[in-house]
């Protein structure tokens, strides 16, 4: 089945405009088919971010910046390149899951509440894990290339989190449009492509297996997150998608760091 050109264009614009700061025209329409395809295209849509991260690593090497400082510069670049969208989702998800046993109260905290202690701890811990993994990876000669591939591969978590059957906790918002909109075959295809990217990253570092194992672990972690949020909140929200991205990147770079 061939996708209409307008559907593909709208999905690309939605993915790029939502997941990056790249300025693009608004999509002509946003419905379930467009939203689902946008999540499938997410690993490709963030290639500008991947390129920016790779450039930071190369520049850091040229000016002899300490590896840890370069790692945090990469994280800053990725945060600026996404408007810290995913970090906000991670903080809100942590706060919502720890705010109350009431799904309604938890969802209200996630929607309107300021960042609480759980959100701060989650962001600090995940950012620290990402920085630790990146510090080890960028010490490799081809670490810049591996990091770019892992940035793209981490966004495959969006197709997994939005696969059909995953319930939305709210009936409104962009999250409700994309959640459950990706066909199973689309999710499998994205994960296979992500596996190829992870394998290439591992090849650049010296061993394909650690990043591939990391991708499997990443998928397991995302599934656990989805199950937990579905039981506590009655479904997932856009914030949970952001949390999935940041946790996935942490898992992938830590796995790559073991090469």
């Amino acid at each position: 089945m061939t996708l209409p050109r307008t559907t593909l264009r709208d999905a690309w614009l939605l993915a790029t405009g939502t997941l990056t700061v790249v300025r693009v025209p608004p999509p002509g329409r946003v419905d379930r088919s467009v939203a689902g395809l946008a999540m499938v295209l997410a690993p490709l849509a963030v290639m500008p971010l991947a390129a920016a991260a790779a450039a930071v690593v190369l520049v850091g090497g040229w000016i002899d910046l300490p590896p840890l400082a370069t790692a945090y510069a990469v994280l800053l670049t990725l945060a600026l390149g996404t408007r810290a969208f995913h970090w906000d989702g991670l903080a809100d998800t942590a706060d919502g899951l720890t705010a109350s046993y009431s799904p309604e109260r938890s969802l209200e905290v996630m929607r309107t509440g300021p960042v609480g202690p759980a959100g701060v701890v989650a962001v600090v811990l995940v950012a620290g894990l990402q920085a630790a993994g990146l510090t080890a990876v960028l010490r490799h000669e081809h670490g810049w290339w591996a990091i770019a591939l892992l940035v793209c591969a981490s966004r495959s978590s969006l197709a997994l989190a939005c696969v059909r059957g995953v319930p939305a906790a709210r009936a409104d918002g962009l999250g409700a449009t994309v959640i459950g909109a990706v066909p199973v075959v689309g999710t499998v295809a994205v994960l296979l492509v992500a596996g190829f990217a992870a394998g290439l990253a591992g090849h650049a570092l010296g061993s394909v297996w650690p990043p591939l194992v990391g991708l499997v672990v990443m998928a397991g972690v995302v599934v656990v997150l989805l199950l937990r949020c579905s039981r506590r909140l009655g479904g997932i929200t856009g914030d949970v998608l952001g949390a999935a991205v940041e946790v996935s990147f942490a898992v992938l770079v830590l796995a790559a760091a073991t090469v």
Side-chain angles (χ1 to χ4, degrees), residues 1-53:
M1 180 179 176
T2 303
L3 290 169
R5 183 176 298 178
T6 54
T7 298
L8 184 60
R9 177 181 182 275
D10 287 339
W12 180 261
L13 293 176
L14 178 61
T16 303
T18 302
L19 301 175
T20 75
V21 295
V22 177
R23 295 176 67 95
V24 294
R29 79 177 199 279
V30 178
D31 56 19
R32 296 283 285 176
S33 61
V34 169
L37 183 56
M39 296 299 96
V40 169
L41 295 174
L44 297 178
V46 299
M47 286 193 296
L49 299 183

Side-chain angles (χ1 to χ4, degrees), residues 88-212:
D88 179 68
L90 174 63
D92 286 344
T93 299
D95 284 334
L97 290 176
T98 58
S100 170
Y101 287 108
S102 166
E104 293 77 14
R105 173 57 182 161
S106 293
L107 289 171
E108 184 63 21
V109 167
M110 293 170 70
R111 183 195 292 270
T112 63
V115 178
V120 171
V121 170
V123 168
V124 170
L125 286 178
V126 174
L129 291 173
Q130 289 183 2
L134 287 170
T135 299
V137 173
L138 61 82
R139 292 180 188 273
H140 290 264
E141 180 181 359
H142 300 294
W144 62 275
W145 175 239
I147 288 170
L149 288 167
L150 295 177
V151 169
C152 293
S154 66
R155 271 55 179 181
S156 64
S157 60
L158 291 170
L160 177 58
C162 292
V163 69
R164 285 180 184 167
V166 175
R170 299 191 185 102
D172 59 341
L174 180 61
T177 305
V178 300
I179 295 165
V182 180
V184 174
V185 65
T187 297
V188 172
V190 171
L191 290 175
L192 288 175
V193 173
F196 180 71
L200 282 180
H203 178 70
L205 299 176
S207 176
V208 300
W209 292 111
L212 286 176

Side-chain angles (χ1 to χ4, degrees), residues 180-255:
V182 180
V184 174
V185 65
T187 297
V188 172
V190 171
L191 290 175
L192 288 175
V193 173
F196 180 71
L200 282 180
H203 178 70
L205 299 176
S207 176
V208 300
W209 292 111
L212 286 176
V213 172
L215 187 72
V216 174
V217 174
M218 180 204 84
V221 170
V222 171
V223 169
V224 170
L225 176 64
L226 297 177
L227 291 173
R228 176 60 176 164
C229 291
S230 295
R231 290 171 181 169
R232 280 280 286 105
L233 308 174
I236 70 170
T237 68
D239 287 327
V240 179
L241 300 182
V245 167
E246 295 301 345
V247 171
S248 294
F249 187 54
V251 170
L252 288 177
V253 295
L254 285 172

